[in-house]
């Protein structure tokens, strides 16, 4: 019997450069791969941002599309499920968390600040010290500054202590932000929709280190994890793992 294989892909840093649109060579690679296995995306951002990066037909070009770590799940273009952070935590707890973040953000001293410091999504909140309205060059500069100064890491450590009673996960991903969501609502959440249908699930991501937003699904016993260092590396690994039939 032929193995039922699913390949799941992170978006930023895996299928595309961070916050950039997908290149044609990756589109062609996904088309090639889809003839051999089932393919899906699993990203922390919402569906709109996946469409911005992967194109407006992402729901048709991938068999599964999991946005917000799978809290919003699609299969072959049809909505499977939606989970709600506000109903899970309760508005009072959510308000306390957001208020604390806003106060902390006000006291952070970084070279520039822009807008949209907190973005509320269905299954998480996304917190950005510089603000999601920054330009690409400002993103790049903040990433360098953050690597040296540990802005996001310290912020997460404070939140982890302050809100231990809510049993939250804090996941640093991308260049400028981190995600906050209930424990278990990381990227492994999407696996509940696919585990029984496949013999082998491969996951490809670039933030597979502990604390990165690909870590939990990368080390999950239900997946075969692959670390990539960019879209070109993703393509290289796919062609080695899933060559065209001779």
């Amino acid at each position: 019997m032929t193995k039922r294989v699913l390949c799941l892909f992170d978006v930023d840093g895996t299928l595309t450069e961070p916050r950039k649109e997908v290149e044609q060579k990756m589109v062609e690679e996904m088309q090639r791969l889809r003839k051999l296995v089932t393919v899906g995306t699993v990203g922390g951002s919402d569906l709109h941002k996946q469409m911005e990066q992967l194109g407006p037909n992402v729901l048709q070009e991938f068999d599964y599309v999991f946005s917000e770590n799978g809290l919003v799940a699609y299969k072959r273009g049809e909505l499977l499920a939606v989970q709600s952070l506000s109903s899970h935590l309760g508005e009072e707890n959510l308000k306390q968390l957001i208020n604390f973040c806003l106060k902390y953000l006000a006291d952070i001293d970084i070279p520039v600040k822009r807008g949209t410091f907190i973005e509320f999504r269905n299954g998480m909140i996304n917190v950005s010290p510089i603000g999601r309205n920054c330009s690409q060059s400002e993103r790049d500069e903040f990433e360098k500054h953050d690597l040296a100064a540990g802005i996001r890491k310290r912020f997460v450590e404070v939140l982890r202590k302050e809100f231990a009673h809510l049993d939250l996960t804090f996941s640093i991903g991308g260049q400028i932000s981190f995600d906050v969501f209930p424990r278990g609502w990381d990227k492994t959440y999407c696996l509940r929709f696919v585990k029984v249908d496949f013999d082998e699930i491969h996951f490809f991501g670039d933030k597979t280190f502990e604390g990165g937003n690909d870590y939990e699904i990368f080390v999950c016993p239900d997946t075969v994890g692959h670390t990539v260092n960019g879209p070109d590396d993703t393509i290289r690994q796919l062609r080695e793992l899933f060559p065209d039939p001779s």
Side-chain angles (χ1 to χ4, degrees), residues 82-110:
V82 178
Q83 180 59 274
S84 167
L85 178 65
S86 58
S87 62
H88 180 83
L89 288 183
E91 289 298 342
E92 189 60 32
N93 285 327
L94 186 60
K95 182 174 68 175
Q96 290 176 11
L97 174 62
I98 291 173
N99 285 345
F100 187 93
C101 287
L102 288 170
K103 291 174 184 175
Y104 189 97
L105 284 161
D107 291 332
I108 292 178
D109 183 21
I110 55 177

Side-chain angles (χ1 to χ4, degrees), residues 3-242:
K3 271 188 180 180
R4 300 170 300 167
V5 177
L6 169 65
C7 288
L8 289 174
F9 299 91
D10 167 55
V11 181
D12 270 4
T14 302
L15 293 179
T16 75
E17 297 295 343
R19 296 303 303 139
K20 300 286 184 67
E21 292 183 9
V22 67
E23 294 186 7
Q24 183 59 30
K25 58 186 176 182
M26 181 61 78
V27 173
E28 292 172 359
E29 180 61 18
M30 289 297 106
Q31 291 170 347
R32 182 195 74 84
L33 185 66
R34 199 177 182 190
K35 295 174 184 176
L36 306 174
V37 301
T38 304
V39 298
T41 67
V42 52
S45 297
D46 59 25
L47 180 61
H48 176 70
K49 288 187 175 65
Q50 284 206 35
M51 286 181 167
E52 283 182 347
Q53 291 180 259
L54 300 176
N57 296 321
V58 64
L59 293 177
Q60 289 72 47
E61 292 172 355
F62 290 85
D63 301 293
Y64 289 91
V65 174
F66 297 115
S67 58
E68 303 182 44
N69 291 351
L71 277 298
V72 181
Y74 286 85
K75 178 181 180 180
R76 298 192 181 94
E78 299 293 327
L79 183 64
L80 280 178
V82 178
Q83 180 59 274
S84 167
L85 178 65
S86 58
S87 62
H88 180 83
L89 288 183
E91 289 298 342
E92 189 60 32
N93 285 327
L94 186 60
K95 182 174 68 175
Q96 290 176 11
L97 174 62
I98 291 173
N99 285 345
F100 187 93
C101 287
L102 288 170
K103 291 174 184 175
Y104 189 97
L105 284 161
D107 291 332
I108 292 178
D109 183 21
I110 55 177
V112 299
K113 287 186 178 180
R114 295 300 179 246
T116 311
F117 300 99
I118 295 179
E119 185 175 83
F120 180 80
R121 301 172 183 171
N122 278 302
M124 68 182 72
I125 63 170
N126 178 266
V127 183
S128 174
I130 187 175
R132 299 192 65 85
N133 292 354
C134 61
S135 67
Q136 185 61 51
S137 61
E138 289 165 343
R139 277 175 168 269
D140 295 339
E141 286 304 311
F142 174 80
E143 183 178 32
K144 293 175 187 175
H145 180 74
D146 184 50
L147 285 171
I151 301 296
R152 289 183 290 176
K153 185 179 180 182
R154 278 202 307 276
F155 197 165
V156 162
E157 288 171 354
V158 170
L159 288 172
R160 188 173 282 123
K161 292 177 183 176
E162 187 72 19
F163 293 94
H165 61 290
L166 295 184
D167 198 27
L168 298 171
T169 294
F170 303 88
S171 182
I172 297 172
Q175 295 178 287
I176 61 168
S177 64
F178 61 88
D179 297 325
V180 184
F181 46 86
R183 189 173 304 279
W185 287 21
D186 52 64
K187 288 184 178 178
T188 61
Y189 190 93
C190 76
L191 297 177
R192 66 189 61 199
F193 301 109
V194 296
K195 278 196 298 186
V196 299
D197 295 324
F198 295 94
D199 304 307
E200 199 169 273
I201 300 173
H202 292 258
F203 172 76
F204 298 81
D206 66 316
K207 296 291 192 301
T208 57
F209 51 85
E210 189 168 4
N213 66 351
D214 295 326
Y215 176 74
E216 289 84 2
I217 191 169
F218 174 75
V219 300
C220 178
D222 294 320
T223 68
V224 180
H226 305 272
T227 302
V228 302
N229 59 26
D232 287 345
D233 189 41
T234 300
I235 292 173
R236 180 190 63 78
Q237 291 194 38
L238 288 173
R239 290 179 180 171
E240 290 180 0
L241 288 165
F242 305 102

